[in-house]
Amino acid sequence: MRILVAEDDPSIGEALCVAFRGQGFAVDLAESGRDADAALQDQSFDLVILDLGLPALDGFQVLQRLRGRSRSVPVIILSANSTLDSRVKGLDLGADDFVCKPFNLAELRARVQALLRRAADSLDPPDPGPVHFDTRTRRLVCQGQAIALSARETAMIEVLWKQFGRPVRKDLLLDHSYDFAADASINAVEVCIHRLRRKLDATPITVRTVPGVGYVLEHRLH
Ligand code: CA
């Protein structure tokens, strides 16, 4: 397992290298956004720990470029800038988790392990597997049987499926599932998700609530 640490503060960068090497990871340190971007283009990593305040390219730019190339590498943002805006922006750009500085090393380790487990479980949408969302016909099929979904449930599963394994914000689901004429609220999204979840009961996938963010479509935990 190989981790890229993108961090320009030498004391934090070194501490992370020591900590994760001590756990048996190979760790590369990039001290600028440009170095991180170059490393991510040239080499393959199992996880990225990304500071936002980096010289040359900032963490958001590094993340945006990375997600332009690959959706699958898990990214944890590590930042002293923990405003809601920057958290939401990070998640929108495809980060998987956000840890505030100053951070607790044991907590960061636990989050890294959780993300690596999740990545192993859901490298990509389970396609073709027992469950499949056909983006052409817009039908959700489980073991050959189409699951009957309303138009709104279909719109939601479409977004969630494209982001399989990644949280999707409630307001994005609202925008995607309801036209402007409909007087819909976040509450309508919650009701729709509740129905959708019940329809997924017999399948190996489920919609999990991500507190403060929205929902993630993922493999059911056994
Ligand atoms: Ca920094």
Side-chain angles (χ1 to χ4, degrees):
M1 286 283 182
R2 187 169 180 204
I3 295 180
L4 177 68
V5 173
E7 170 60 76
D8 62 325
D9 179 323
S11 60
I12 297 177
E14 272 312 307
L16 291 176
C17 287
V18 169
F20 284 100
R21 280 179 192 141
Q23 291 211 300
F25 291 96
V27 186
D28 290 40
L29 179 63
E31 292 180 277
S32 75
R34 206 170 295 289
D35 287 353
D37 186 55
L40 287 165
Q41 285 188 56
D42 295 345
Q43 294 153 59
S44 119
F45 295 93
D46 297 293
L47 184 130
V48 182
I49 297 175
L50 181 64
D51 180 29
L52 285 183
L54 289 170
L57 290 174
D58 70 25
F60 288 133
Q61 291 170 305
V62 172
L63 180 59
Q64 200 162 22
R65 286 167 178 238
L66 172 65
R67 288 300 180 230
R69 297 185 298 267
S70 155
R71 276 185 34 196
S72 57
V73 192
V75 174
I76 297 185
I77 289 179
L78 192 59
S79 177
N81 177 3
S82 63
T83 59
L84 183 63
D85 274 357
S86 66
R87 281 168 173 265
V88 167
K89 185 173 176 192
L91 293 172
D92 271 353
L93 287 176
D96 298 272
D97 205 349
F98 199 112
V99 173
C100 300
K101 289 177 179 172
F103 58 93
N104 175 291
L105 194 53
E107 186 195 350
L108 180 62
R109 276 203 203 108
R111 290 187 184 221
V112 164
Q113 294 292 358
L115 272 186
L116 289 173
R117 265 199 308 275
R118 206 194 316 160
D121 275 353
S122 62
L123 281 175
D124 276 305
D127 178 17
V131 180
H132 173 61
F133 183 75
D134 186 327
T135 49
R136 196 177 45 84
T137 60
R138 302 182 76 226
R139 289 204 314 167
L140 185 68
V141 177
C142 182
Q143 285 169 339
Q145 296 276 317
I147 296 172
L149 299 177
S150 71
R152 281 188 181 139
E153 289 159 1
T154 301
M156 285 195 190
I157 202 84
E158 185 170 41
V159 179
L160 290 164
W161 185 271
K162 281 185 194 153
Q163 297 294 317
F164 195 92
R166 297 182 180 288
V168 180
R169 277 162 47 198
K170 284 183 189 177
D171 60 337
L172 295 181
L173 285 169
L174 182 68
D175 285 351
H176 191 78
S177 315
Y178 294 84
D179 57 41
F180 291 113
D183 186 16
S185 65
I186 290 291
N187 185 45
V189 173
E190 288 165 2
V191 170
C192 188
I193 287 285
H194 179 72
R195 280 201 305 265
L196 187 56
R197 206 174 258 156
R198 284 172 55 180
K199 290 185 178 179
L200 294 176
D201 265 354
T203 76
I205 58 173
T206 189
V207 181
R208 183 169 61 83
T209 301
V210 182
V213 182
Y215 301 97
V216 57
L217 187 67
E218 63 183 18
H219 292 282
R220 194 180 294 285
L221 293 175
H222 299 293

